[in-house]
C-alpha cells in the first residue's frame, strides 16, 4: 500500500517533467517557418491532460494524508520478532558448529594413519 | 494537554500549506503559459516602436518562462515533501509493513526451529543405535 502511493508520487514527478517539456515544445513551434498544427494539438492536449492529472493526484494524496495523519510519532517496531529470529539463527549456527566438531572427531578416529 | 492540541493544528496547517502550494504552482504554470501564448501574437499598432515592443515582449517571455520553470521545481519540492510526510505519517501503511515483516521473521524462526527439531530427532535415533553398539561391545 505504501509502495503504491510512493510509486504514484514518482509518476507525478515524471508528469511534471512532461508538463514543462510540452510547454517548451508548444512555445517553440510558432517560431518555426512551417507550423505543424497536429503536433501543436497533440502537445497541447498532452500538456492540459498532464496538468490536470498532476493536480488531481496530488490533491488526492493530500486528502488521504488529512484523513490518516495524527501528528503523533509511530511507535511500532519489529524488534521483538527480529530478536526471536536472531536467536533462532544463533541456535542453528551453534548446532552447525557442534556437528562440525563431531564430524572432525569422527574423521580423526576413523583415519587409518592415526 | 496544550502540547497535544498544538500537534494536530500544525499537521492541519502543514497540509493546508501543501494544498495552497499545489494550487498556486498549478495556477502559475497555466497563467504564465497562457500569457506567453498571448504575447506571441504580433500587434499591428504599438505605443512604442516595434523594436522596443519586441524587446519588451522578449523580456516578458523570458520572465514568464522562468516563472513556469520555478513553479515546476516548486511542485517537485512539494512531491518530495509529500513523500516524506507519507513515510512518516501514513500509519495504515506503516502498520501493514510492520505486520508483514513480523510475519516474515516469525516464519523464518519457525522454519529454523522445525529443522533443528527434525535434526534432533534424527540424531537421537542414530545415538540410540550407537549406544546399543557401544554397550554391547568389549570397549564399554
Amino acid at each position: 500500500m505504501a509502495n503504491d502511493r510512493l510509486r504514484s508520487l514518482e509518476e507525478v514527478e515524471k508528469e511534471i517533467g512532461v508538463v514543462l517539456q510540452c510547454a517548451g515544445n508548444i512555445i517553440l513551434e510558432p517560431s518555426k517557418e512551417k507550423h505543424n498544427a497536429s503536433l501543436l494539438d497533440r502537445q497541447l492536449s498532452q500538456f492540459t491532460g498532464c496538468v490536470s492529472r498532476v493536480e488531481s493526484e496530488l490533491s488526492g494524496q493530500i486528502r488521504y494524508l488529512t484523513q490518516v495523519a495524527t501528528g503523533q510519532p509511530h511507535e511500532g517496531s519489529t524488534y521483538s520478532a527480529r530478536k526471536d529470529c536472531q536467536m533462532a539463527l544463533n541456535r542453528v549456527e551453534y548446532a552447525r558448529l557442534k556437528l562440525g566438531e563431531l564430524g572432525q572427531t569422527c574423521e580423526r578416529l576413523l583415519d587409518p594413519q592415526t | 494537554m496544550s502540547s497535544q492540541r498544538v500537534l494536530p493544528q500544525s499537521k492541519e496547517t502543514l497540509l493546508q500549506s501543501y494544498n495552497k502550494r499545489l494550487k498556486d504552482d498549478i495556477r502559475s504554470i497555466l497563467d504564465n503559459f497562457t500569457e506567453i501564448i498571448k504575447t506571441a501574437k504580433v500587434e499591428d499598432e504599438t505605443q512604442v516602436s516595434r523594436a522596443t515592443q519586441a524587446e519588451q515582449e522578449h523580456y516578458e517571455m523570458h520572465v514568464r518562462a522562468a516563472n513556469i520553470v520555478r513553479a515546476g521545481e516548486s511542485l517537485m519540492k512539494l512531491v518530495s515533501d509529500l513523500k516524506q510526510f507519507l513515510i512518516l505519517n501514513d500509519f495504515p501503511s506503516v502498520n501493514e509493513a510492520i505486520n508483514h515483516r513480523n510475519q516474515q521473521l516469525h516464519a523464518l524462526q519457525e522454519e529454523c526451529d522445525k529443522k533443528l527439531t527434525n535434526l534432533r530427532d534424527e540424531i537421537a535415533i542414530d545415538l540410540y543405535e550407537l549406544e546399543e553398539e557401544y554397550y554391547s561391545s568389549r570397549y564399554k
Side-chain angles (χ1 to χ4, degrees):
Chain A
M1 199 160 62
N3 286 341
D4 293 338
R5 292 195 175 272
L6 289 172
R7 215 168 282 133
S8 67
L9 282 175
E10 282 179 9
E11 292 296 323
V12 166
E13 282 180 336
K14 289 178 192 168
E15 297 255 336
I16 292 169
V18 170
V19 163
L20 294 180
Q21 196 163 5
C22 287
N25 290 341
I26 291 168
I27 293 166
L28 194 64
E29 195 61 28
S31 68
K32 296 178 184 171
E33 283 190 21
K34 286 186 183 175
H35 311 315
N36 190 341
S38 62
L39 176 69
L40 262 177
D41 286 338
R42 275 201 310 274
Q43 292 283 310
L44 188 61
S45 59
Q46 192 175 9
F47 173 78
T48 49
C50 284
V51 167
S52 31
R53 271 198 298 276
V54 164
E55 189 174 10
S56 64
E57 181 62 36
L58 289 180
S59 295
Q61 295 281 357
I62 293 171
R63 212 165 28 245
Y64 171 76
L65 285 170
T66 310
Q67 289 167 3
V68 301
T70 63
Q72 304 293 332
H74 194 282
E75 294 183 5
S77 167
T78 58
Y79 177 74
S80 168
R82 272 189 291 132
K83 186 76 183 170
D84 291 340
C85 186
Q86 189 61 44
M87 296 302 288
L89 290 172
N90 286 348
R91 287 195 287 275
V92 168
E93 185 60 28
Y94 183 74
R96 193 186 65 82
L97 202 67
K98 285 296 175 188
L99 283 173
E101 286 175 8
L102 183 64
Q104 281 174 5
T105 307
C106 292
E107 278 177 13
R108 214 169 34 244
L109 290 172
L110 290 173
D111 194 354
Q113 291 182 2
T114 59
Chain B
M1 190 65 175
S2 61
S3 63
Q4 285 180 356
R5 275 202 296 273
V6 167
L7 284 172
Q9 280 179 357
S10 71
K11 183 249 320 182
E12 288 291 333
T13 311
L14 188 61
L15 289 170
Q16 281 170 8
S17 76
Y18 286 163
N19 248 330
K20 186 174 181 312
R21 277 165 66 181
L22 172 66
K23 301 234 177 318
D24 288 346
D25 291 335
I26 294 290
R27 191 167 52 238
S28 172
I29 288 177
L30 291 175
D31 289 348
N32 281 289
F33 178 73
T34 310
E35 289 303 317
I36 287 178
I37 299 297
K38 282 184 191 171
T39 310
K41 184 181 172 186
V42 177
E43 299 287 340
D44 291 331
E45 294 178 4
T46 56
Q47 291 182 349
V48 295
S49 68
R50 277 199 177 271
T52 311
Q53 185 68 27
E55 201 59 39
Q56 184 228 325
E57 285 171 359
H58 180 247
Y59 179 69
E60 184 183 341
M61 284 190 182
H62 267 279
V63 169
R64 291 197 182 278
N67 282 341
I68 292 175
V69 171
R70 187 204 54 76
E73 284 181 355
S74 176
L75 274 177
M76 297 289 272
K77 176 75 171 64
L78 175 65
V79 171
S80 171
D81 292 343
L82 277 175
K83 278 185 190 175
Q84 186 177 311
F85 197 90
L86 195 70
I87 288 167
L88 293 174
N89 293 284
D90 186 6
F91 280 14
S93 301
V94 172
N95 289 339
E96 188 188 340
I98 287 175
N99 286 340
H100 182 66
R101 184 71 182 137
N102 280 344
Q103 280 171 6
Q104 274 182 336
L105 291 168
H106 190 64
L108 180 59
Q109 181 211 333
E110 278 191 351
E111 191 186 344
C112 288
D113 287 339
K114 185 180 163 192
K115 288 195 170 159
L116 278 176
T117 308
N118 289 341
L119 190 64
R120 182 203 66 186
D121 292 340
E122 284 176 20
I123 290 177
I125 292 170
D126 292 338
L127 186 61
Y128 180 76
E129 291 173 3
L130 285 169
E131 280 178 346
E132 270 205 7
E133 188 64 33
Y134 173 71
Y135 286 116
S136 61
S137 71
R138 59 189 177 94
Y139 298 107
K140 62 177 178 188

